[in-house]
Amino acid sequence: MVDTPQGETYREIAARHGRTYTTVRNQWTRHPGWPKPIGKRGKFLLFDPIAVDQVVAEHLERPTAALEPRRLYTAREIEALTGITAATIRSDRSRGRWPEPDDTSGRAHRWYGATVTQTLAGRRAYHKAAED
């Protein structure tokens, strides 16, 4: 009887974390903290799910910033608080992945904290609550 290590393949990790196989295989595994394989199932590498979850929680997921719901934030302020760059906001707006500004009366476009929080909640890497 062959003793097969218990672990997860890239596809299983991707399914469990709601990501694509390509994201796990081509992006996550490049992180220096990514765990070493613990074995193989057929031709597929296996990874310890606990070690994978630890790397994802510590390095790959980002907490949602605690924004004041009724305060208006510029793209630069959003960048400082969330890590989403102003350039990414502009790019995502042009692709329909970021909402139009709530306020366009000044030179800088601004979004309510509630709008930003709702938008970030839809981004998979931003689903943990901010820790105080």
Side-chain angles (χ1 to χ4, degrees):
M1 180 173 179
V2 177
D3 194 20
T4 306
Q6 295 299 313
E8 293 180 319
T9 66
Y10 291 131
R11 290 197 190 281
E12 292 165 343
I13 293 166
R16 191 164 56 84
H17 286 279
R19 295 304 195 111
T20 65
Y21 166 81
T22 306
T23 296
V24 172
R25 177 69 177 94
N26 296 342
Q27 293 177 13
W28 287 12
T29 59
R30 292 183 181 177
H31 189 278
W34 188 257
K36 300 284 185 219
I38 60 170
K40 283 187 156 187
R41 184 184 315 137
K43 65 179 182 176
F44 302 105
L45 295 174
L46 295 175
F47 297 88
D48 178 8
I50 294 170
V52 168
D53 288 349
Q54 185 176 356
V55 171
V56 170
E58 291 177 5
H59 302 289
L60 302 172
E61 288 181 341
R62 297 178 224 162
T64 302
L67 302 175
E68 297 174 40
R70 296 301 305 159
R71 179 177 170 218
L72 288 164
Y73 294 88
T74 65
R76 293 283 178 209
E77 291 170 325
I78 294 167
E79 179 176 351
L81 294 167
T82 68
I84 298 287
T85 66
T88 298
I89 291 171
R90 282 191 302 276
S91 174
D92 283 359
R93 275 184 61 207
S94 71
R95 291 179 172 92
R97 296 187 303 220
W98 192 271
E100 291 301 313
D102 294 308
D103 177 38
T104 58
S105 62
R107 283 184 37 168
H109 293 169
R110 301 183 304 166
W111 292 262
Y112 283 113
T115 303
V116 175
T117 300
Q118 180 180 5
T119 302
L120 292 179
R123 293 173 81 105
R124 288 179 285 197
Y126 288 86
H127 61 76
K128 289 179 12 177
E131 297 178 20
D132 296 357

